[in-house]
Amino acid sequence: GGPAIVHTGSGGHLCQLIRGGYVQKLFAGNALATHDIEQALFGTSLGVHLDRGDILEAGHEHHLRAINRIRRAGGIRAAVEQGVLRSGIMYECVLHEVDVLLAGSIRDDGPLPEVITDALEAQRAMRARIRDVDFCLMIATTLHSIAVGNLLPAWVKVVCVDINPSTVIKLADRGSFQTVPLVTDVEPFIRAL
């Protein structure tokens, strides 16, 4: 999953899927988790009120404040247990024991304590955790979709949803022929799902 899940206002829909038991694993980066936590704590994503679309003065600081609150709590699970984090995707993942793997990149702010910043270690962790996967839904993340696509066996059913056609094209070009591509905005897709 990518941060556009949060930016498009789809977080609540993904939370419903988690609560319904449809999500067992979530691979993402620092951005999805950070912007989800920012939205849960401040009602913004990158400083923008998702419900109104207006920019909050000094809202650009919210994602860093969110990271720092989670760091002070000792991590995402600890923040949930302490009542610091009370809603959102990461909150639901903790409550419903979803296996979350956050893989970092060189451009990450923070990052959150759970983010694996060593790319080779993150790849090893992904490889170990995909062994029992028989269906993969890739949503709005070029880098993580391609990374996971490179690791999945050809028999695993894959659906890739992205508003950017190059994401689904890159997956096919790299040999993930089992992928069903959907070029669309994330929010209407997750809402319908």
Side-chain angles (χ1 to χ4, degrees):
I5 293 170
V6 177
H7 302 323
T8 61
S10 306
H13 303 309
L14 183 54
C15 289
Q16 282 184 287
L17 291 171
I18 293 167
R19 285 190 295 270
Y22 296 103
V23 179
Q24 291 78 43
K25 298 176 190 293
L26 176 64
F27 291 0
N30 186 66
L32 172 66
T34 297
H35 297 302
D36 168 62
I37 293 167
E38 174 191 348
Q39 204 283 319
L41 296 177
F42 301 105
T44 60
S45 180
L46 290 174
V48 176
H49 281 287
L50 293 179
D51 57 346
R52 301 189 308 258
D54 60 325
I55 298 171
L56 183 68
E57 187 175 341
H60 63 283
E61 300 173 355
H62 283 178
H63 72 286
L64 292 173
R65 294 186 186 282
I67 290 169
N68 288 334
R69 284 194 188 176
I70 299 303
R71 284 186 159 287
R72 275 194 299 276
I76 296 169
R77 178 172 294 281
V80 170
E81 291 168 354
Q82 295 168 25
V84 173
L85 184 60
R86 294 187 217 128
S87 65
I89 299 164
M90 295 296 110
Y91 171 83
E92 295 294 342
C93 285
V94 170
L95 254 55
H96 298 281
E97 298 297 328
V98 172
D99 181 12
V100 176
L101 189 148
L102 301 175
S105 75
I106 195 166
R107 63 187 179 195
D108 286 341
D109 293 329
L112 290 161
E114 288 84 355
V115 174
I116 302 170
T117 56
D118 181 320
L120 295 176
E121 183 56 38
Q123 188 181 72
R124 276 191 286 276
M126 281 187 213
R127 189 174 282 116
R129 291 178 179 179
I130 63 167
R131 292 183 188 178
D132 61 344
V133 170
D134 55 15
F135 178 80
C136 181
L137 179 59
M138 300 174 173
I139 303 177
T141 173
T142 303
L143 297 176
H144 286 87
S145 292
I146 292 169
V148 173
N150 288 341
L151 299 173
L152 288 172
W155 55 265
V156 174
K157 294 176 185 77
V158 177
V159 175
C160 180
V161 181
D162 204 303
I163 201 163
N164 184 352
S166 69
T167 301
V168 297
I169 291 168
K170 285 179 185 175
L171 271 169
D173 287 349
R174 292 175 183 248
S176 299
F177 298 112
Q178 75 274 29
T179 302
V180 174
L182 292 173
V183 179
T184 185
D185 188 21
V186 174
E187 195 279 336
F189 173 80
I190 298 180
R191 181 174 11 107
L193 188 62

